[in-house]
Amino acid sequence: MSENAAKSAKYCKVLIVGAGAAGLSSANHLLKNGCTDFLILEARNRIGGRIVSIDIDSQKVELGANWIHGVLGNPIFELAMASGLVSIINIPKPHKIVAATEDGKQVPIGILHEIYEAYVTFLRRCEEYFLCQYIPPPDIHSVGEHINLEQELYLGEMPESPEKRVKRLIFNCLLKRETCITGCDTMNEIDLLELGSYTELQGGNIVLPAGYSSILGPLTEHLAPEQIIKACPVRTIHWRRKGSGSSTVGNLTTVEEDNEGDSDDSDKTVTEAPTRNFNVKIESEAGEIFYADHVICTIPLGVLKDKADSIFSPSLPTYKRESIDRLLFGTVDKIFLEYDRPFLNSSISEVMLLWNDEPSSTASLKDVWFKKIYSFAKVTETLLLGWISGREAEFMETLSHDEVAEKCTEILRKFLQDPFVPKPKRCICTSWKNQPFCRGSYTAMAVGASQDDIENIAQPLYSDPHQPK
């Protein structure tokens, strides 16, 4: 390393890669434990990661995270409460859902309730496989397969009729909704035995009156501005695994691992700076150099799937790479439609779309992508929100917002049987798959994956097997 480069390099005790919720929470944890010698490296020119909002007609709209899931034992809820972000008086808005078929016929509310209750029962049974260690039926490995089996048993004894067909359409719609909740393309991707492995916190889903992004205030209020370096994407994290062979990366000496296949423990890491015994060296895309004793890496799973082999030098242990591969990082996007005037009945809060036929696996996405949109819900009287997931969401991201607005208008006119549904004055679509610093929306438990994979990725790596843990 040249003398000028050495002088420009930055040194600290801890480097945090990423200023999303995980990175900012890590920084606050360090502060609470008396550590102030840290830097956060954030690739974007803003903090928050997948927490981001925009203003639409004086309404704050969340493009990413939207709800606090659960109250009891939820640190985000506790932080929001302590910061005065939660409304004590929460008067729920009336929520009237209308389910319509493609020919504009509305489904009787009794049928909608019946199928929804049956669906929830089927989903709870899926969770019981993990909780009660049940053995699933032969050749049933995914949540989607199990719910489809339950659905066929439920509908099987009914004679063929228009009502039976409508019930099947509702089941299909609810499965599409579930892909947006879970973060996948189809529920056939989700491991049946692991669905119940998540702990569901009690208290329901909480919406902050000022929007979820308001949580970034308390997460950053104790951080000095100079502790967050924005627009600093990381190119390489140099580290060393303790072993027999050594090599040199630039001026950084690394030691190669002994046994790649032995991934039982992760007590093997790190690098040395030329003049001081720092454990980690990070290079940014702009060529900046950072040294630290420790690094906390909060890079999203989607980016790890794309770039783990090139970001870490040498590569991560095999067991970590395999866990990264096994987990799913799905795409879920939002479609916001803003109008000059209301056109939906004021009592209706959501329109469920019961598409006639499920597209075949060989159908071209350009012809069927929009059939993955399962509903449009009111945010305000002049703002609608649609959800879309999986391959269809990724295809939508390649379209212009005008093309999406045109198709959504066509859909609403068809399902509402109203040719006068106006075109939106503005359409805003998220593009989480195409965002280079997230490459998707959130993690899901793919068939063959387990909570062990999450633990494997989170497991720290140590420079010395005898280092206190």
Side-chain angles (χ1 to χ4, degrees):
M1 183 170 70
S2 68
E3 185 177 342
N4 288 338
K7 288 180 179 177
S8 63
K10 294 182 173 64
Y11 305 87
C12 61
K13 187 175 183 63
V14 182
L15 283 168
I16 300 171
V17 181
L24 296 175
S25 297
S26 299
N28 279 275
H29 183 76
L30 293 175
L31 286 175
K32 288 177 182 176
N33 287 275
C35 176
T36 59
D37 185 15
F38 62 83
L39 290 173
I40 305 174
L41 308 183
E42 169 53 47
R44 297 180 178 88
N45 200 29
R46 62 168 180 83
I47 63 167
R50 282 163 282 159
I51 303 174
V52 58
S53 65
I54 59 171
D55 290 324
I56 298 181
D57 193 25
S58 74
Q59 171 80 23
K60 180 173 280 192
V61 170
E62 299 294 338
L63 300 181
N66 207 86
W67 296 280
I68 296 177
H69 297 290
V71 170
L72 299 177
N74 190 328
I76 291 292
F77 177 79
E78 291 169 3
L79 179 63
M81 277 293 292
S83 304
L85 299 178
V86 179
S87 174
I88 302 300
I89 302 174
N90 185 20
I91 302 173
K93 297 178 181 177
H95 189 53
K96 180 182 178 182
I97 298 177
V98 170
T101 56
E102 283 189 58
D103 57 6
K105 293 180 179 177
Q106 292 189 15
V107 175
I109 194 67
I111 293 178
L112 186 59
H113 280 166
E114 174 200 335
I115 300 305
Y116 179 74
E117 288 175 7
Y119 174 81
V120 170
T121 299
F122 300 163
L123 200 62
R124 292 290 175 259
R125 284 180 188 156
C126 291
E127 293 174 347
E128 288 174 1
Y129 283 100
F130 176 85
L131 300 172
C132 303
Q133 299 296 298
Y134 293 155
I135 303 298
D139 300 321
I140 299 294
H141 307 290
S142 70
V143 173
E145 291 168 339
H146 197 280
I147 288 181
N148 282 325
L149 174 63
E150 294 257 32
Q151 170 190 317
E152 290 304 319
L153 293 172
Y154 184 84
L155 299 176
E157 295 183 1
M158 298 180 186
E160 290 300 326
S161 66
E163 181 176 310
K164 178 177 179 178
R165 179 176 167 276
V166 165
K167 289 180 178 181
R168 194 181 302 278
L169 296 182
I170 296 171
F171 275 124
N172 292 340
C173 182
L174 292 172
L175 278 171
K176 290 176 187 175
R177 175 177 177 266
E178 202 66 40
T179 65
C180 289
I181 294 170
T182 304
C184 59
D185 181 40
T186 80
M187 293 306 291
N188 289 345
E189 295 178 323
I190 304 303
D191 195 284
L192 175 61
L193 299 180
E194 289 292 320
L195 184 68
S197 64
Y198 287 102
T199 300
E200 187 170 335
L201 303 180
Q202 299 301 306
N205 297 325
I206 307 298
V207 176
L208 300 180
Y212 194 98
S213 54
S214 62
I215 201 69
L216 296 176
L219 280 173
T220 55
E221 65 178 334
H222 300 298
L223 302 178
E226 61 270 16
Q227 288 180 304
I228 305 177
I229 302 177
K230 300 175 187 174
C232 185
V234 167
R235 176 189 295 150
T236 313
I237 299 173
H238 294 285
W239 62 288
R240 181 176 64 186
R241 296 195 71 185
K242 191 167 183 178
S244 56
S246 66
S247 63
T248 300
V249 182
N251 291 309
L252 188 72
T253 301
T254 67
V255 178
E256 304 299 335
E257 58 188 303
D258 267 338
N259 183 358
E260 172 89 15
D262 183 8
S263 56
D264 179 79
D265 195 2
S266 48
D267 299 342
K268 312 160 184 176
T269 316
V270 188
T271 40
E272 296 174 355
T275 56
R276 296 176 59 183
N277 290 325
F278 285 92
N279 290 331
V280 179
K281 171 188 173 183
I282 290 182
E283 295 179 74
S284 75
E285 291 286 358
E288 299 165 286
I289 304 296
F290 302 87
Y291 289 105
D293 291 325
H294 312 280
V295 61
I296 300 173
C297 181
T298 70
I299 295 174
L301 178 62
V303 179
L304 291 178
K305 281 180 168 290
D306 278 358
K307 294 186 173 182
D309 288 343
S310 61
I311 289 177
F312 296 95
S313 178
S315 295
L316 292 172
T318 301
Y319 76 101
K320 282 187 180 285
R321 300 201 307 270
E322 289 176 345
S323 288
I324 289 169
D325 290 341
R326 273 192 295 269
L327 290 167
L328 180 66
F329 199 71
T331 302
V332 178
D333 280 319
K334 298 179 182 180
I335 304 169
F336 290 99
L337 303 173
E338 183 188 9
Y339 296 89
D340 284 316
R341 59 178 176 81
F343 65 90
L344 271 179
N345 187 301
S346 60
S347 66
I348 296 173
S349 56
E350 184 175 0
V351 179
M352 286 178 63
L353 310 176
L354 306 184
W355 294 97
N356 284 340
D357 301 303
E358 289 302 297
S360 70
S361 57
T362 58
S364 172
L365 280 175
K366 69 182 178 63
D367 298 325
V368 299
W369 68 268
F370 48 88
K371 292 191 175 184
K372 197 64 170 292
I373 303 172
Y374 70 86
S375 83
F376 286 102
K378 280 183 184 175
V379 180
T380 68
E381 288 300 318
T382 55
L383 184 63
L384 297 184
L385 167 61
W387 294 80
I388 188 169
S389 67
R391 296 183 310 122
E392 293 83 357
E394 292 171 19
F395 180 82
M396 182 206 68
E397 293 184 14
T398 69
L399 303 176
S400 71
H401 288 190
D402 285 342
E403 290 176 289
V404 175
E406 195 74 36
K407 181 54 71 175
C408 289
T409 302
E410 181 185 314
I411 291 169
L412 286 165
R413 288 175 177 175
K414 174 186 285 190
F415 280 86
L416 297 175
Q417 285 293 289
D418 182 356
F420 300 106
V421 168
K423 293 181 180 179
K425 69 177 181 180
R426 183 158 54 147
C427 172
I428 296 171
C429 308
T430 59
S431 55
W432 291 112
K433 180 65 175 181
N434 280 327
Q435 295 295 315
F437 304 124
C438 58
R439 303 293 292 141
S441 302
Y442 33 86
T443 303
M445 205 67 71
V447 173
S450 71
Q451 288 290 335
D452 288 342
D453 293 309
I454 294 175
E455 293 296 328
N456 285 345
I457 295 173
Q459 178 69 28
L461 299 167
Y462 296 94
S463 59
D464 184 344
H466 305 295
Q467 181 175 334
K469 302 176 177 66

